[in-house]
Amino acid sequence: MPKIKSNRAAMKRFKVTASGKIKRHKGFKSHLLSSKGKKRKRRLRKPALVSAVEAKRIRQLIPYL
């Protein structure tokens, strides 16, 4: 069987941690920031983990990571 192509968009958006979990960045931090509080913007900086249900689908897009 030939190898599966990785989805390039998913490769740029997600990283796999050493324990095998999938890390993502949070949205809602590109514009209209004046109405959002400092605390909220600070929390949006930190990466988040993808839920177990979504991780299963993302693994199909990035099979070799």
Side-chain angles (χ1 to χ4, degrees), residues 21-32:
K21 294 176 182 171
I22 298 174
K23 195 163 64 167
R24 66 173 176 87
H25 288 288
K26 294 177 183 173
F28 299 97
K29 194 160 188 305
S30 57
H31 62 98
L32 300 174

Side-chain angles (χ1 to χ4, degrees), residues 2-5 17-18 25 32 36 38 41-42 45 52 54 65:
K3 289 174 86 175
I4 303 166
K5 277 192 175 182
T17 63
H25 288 288
L32 300 174
K36 295 167 188 162
K38 285 180 186 178
K41 289 188 279 190
R42 188 166 58 245
R45 274 186 225 149
E54 292 292 329
L65 282 184

